[in-house]
Amino acid sequence: AFYEATHGTAPNIAGKDKANPCSVVLCGAMMLEEMGKPEAARLIYNAVEKVMAAKTVTPDLAGQMDGARAVGCREFGDLLGAAL
């Protein structure tokens, strides 16, 4: 199997703490499923769902969600970690 984030390298926002890490994180969850670790994958899916349901998302999504709070990539990752 091959797992790849759907976006490019986004050089225009590199180092600006704006990138959305969901594609990479969800690729990791798919890889865990393929490796026979569905419980670990489910933990990741649930964490992403919880953080997004709280409307704490990266700037690319915040503009598309009413009442959303934009957070940087680093904070989004911290929120995912806390949700795990």
Side-chain angles (χ1 to χ4, degrees):
F2 183 77
Y3 307 93
E4 179 182 19
T6 57
H7 52 73
T9 59
N12 58 324
I13 59 171
K16 295 181 181 177
D17 196 31
K18 292 183 178 181
N20 183 335
C22 277
S23 237
V24 172
V25 170
L26 294 173
C27 282
M30 289 190 298
M31 182 180 68
L32 288 167
E33 286 179 324
E34 183 73 23
M35 294 171 61
K37 304 289 184 187
E39 311 85 21
R42 178 53 37 208
L43 291 173
I44 293 170
Y45 292 134
N46 289 345
V48 170
E49 289 174 14
K50 182 178 180 179
V51 172
M52 293 186 80
K55 296 189 176 186
T56 48
V57 294
T58 50
D60 61 318
L61 296 179
Q64 301 175 43
M65 297 172 73
D66 289 335
R69 179 172 71 92
V71 298
C73 180
R74 188 173 295 117
E75 185 176 351
F76 189 83
D78 289 344
L79 291 167
L80 287 177
L84 285 170

